[in-house]
Amino acid sequence: MDYTKMCSKYESAAELLGKKWTGLIIRVMMGGPKRFKDIKEQIPDMSDKMLTDRMKELESHGIITRTVYPEMPVRIEYELTDKGRDLEGVTNSIQAWGEKWM
Amino acid sequence: MDYTKMCSKYESAAELLGKKWTGLIIRVMMGGPKRFKDIKEQIPDMSDKMLTDRMKELESHGIITRTVYPEMPVRIEYELTDKGRDLEGVTNSIQAWGEKWM
């Protein structure tokens, strides 16, 4: 990697992934399709509004999909796209570093 | 990895590394010892105060060292510690994902 100058793709990725709660949400989503409450369960300190905002943002970046199942009551599931699942290298490296140093 | 529950070490790592500018600063530092102005050069939109705060924070977490060389004028260099250099897996995976998807 060329460390002598900044890379705009790295910059964009770091800005998106570095937002508060986003790294935690992506880790939870690695476990497969989730409902809103499943995510909240693992990140209880995050407000509903914040989770809603983050999920919208991740959806707009093509990292998750939101599927509405027309049942009674309506069921909504979130799932990683290929682009989202491809973040496994990032979450794994953060986990490995965290286990060693935190 | 167990995705069914959150890991506090992952949480701490993601919180620290996810702070605004920190991911960019660490990428620059991967290039070897740096002076304040070398870092600013690659991240021109970041204010001096913000860089100072972030470097203090990274120093307090044992990720960088700050060395003062008693020359005229005084020279101050920042360098990654072993803990800091070990973040190469994280920066590499963000770079790889960014190149593919951003």
Side-chain angles (χ1 to χ4, degrees):
Chain A
M1 203 190 311
D2 179 9
Y3 292 124
T4 64
K5 54 174 188 277
M6 190 47 67
C7 165
S8 65
K9 286 169 183 286
Y10 179 95
E11 238 171 354
S12 308
E15 194 192 337
L16 175 63
L17 304 174
K19 291 215 170 144
K20 193 163 168 63
W21 306 114
T22 297
L24 305 191
I25 293 169
I26 288 169
R27 187 185 189 279
V28 175
M29 294 302 303
M30 286 287 163
K34 293 278 174 290
R35 297 171 70 168
F36 198 87
K37 67 173 179 52
D38 302 326
I39 306 170
K40 284 280 293 178
E41 215 169 82
Q42 287 200 45
I43 318 175
D45 291 346
M46 175 180 49
S47 72
D48 283 7
K49 182 186 176 332
M50 186 53 83
L51 178 52
T52 303
D53 287 355
R54 286 293 181 259
M55 297 308 271
K56 275 186 191 154
E57 188 175 45
L58 292 172
E59 198 184 349
S60 78
H61 280 90
I63 288 172
I64 60 163
T65 55
R66 178 178 184 275
T67 309
V68 181
Y69 294 94
E71 302 167 357
M72 275 298 257
V74 148
R75 181 166 55 101
I76 299 171
E77 276 193 358
Y78 299 94
E79 189 169 7
L80 290 174
T81 61
D82 288 346
K83 181 177 179 178
R85 270 186 293 272
D86 216 34
L87 284 166
E88 191 153 32
V90 178
T91 50
N92 280 347
S93 61
I94 294 170
Q95 180 77 39
W97 186 84
E99 280 176 20
K100 187 168 172 187
W101 294 104
M102 298 308 275
Chain B
M1 205 191 310
D2 178 8
Y3 293 123
T4 63
K5 55 174 187 279
M6 190 46 67
C7 166
S8 66
K9 286 169 185 285
Y10 179 94
E11 238 171 353
S12 308
E15 194 192 336
L16 175 62
L17 304 174
K19 291 214 170 145
K20 192 161 168 64
W21 306 114
T22 297
L24 305 191
I25 294 169
I26 288 169
R27 188 185 189 280
V28 175
M29 294 302 305
M30 285 289 164
K34 292 279 174 290
R35 297 172 69 168
F36 198 87
K37 66 172 180 52
D38 303 326
I39 306 171
K40 283 281 292 181
E41 215 170 82
Q42 287 200 44
I43 318 173
D45 291 346
M46 174 180 50
S47 72
D48 283 7
K49 183 185 175 334
M50 187 53 84
L51 179 52
T52 304
D53 287 355
R54 286 294 182 259
M55 296 308 271
K56 274 187 192 154
E57 187 174 45
L58 291 173
E59 198 185 350
S60 79
H61 279 90
I63 288 171
I64 59 162
T65 53
R66 178 179 184 274
T67 309
V68 181
Y69 295 94
E71 302 167 356
M72 276 299 257
V74 148
R75 179 164 57 99
I76 299 171
E77 276 193 358
Y78 299 94
E79 189 168 8
L80 290 174
T81 61
D82 287 346
K83 181 177 178 178
R85 272 186 292 273
D86 216 34
L87 284 166
E88 191 152 32
V90 178
T91 51
N92 281 345
S93 60
I94 294 170
Q95 180 76 39
W97 187 84
E99 280 175 20
K100 186 168 174 188
W101 295 103
M102 298 307 276

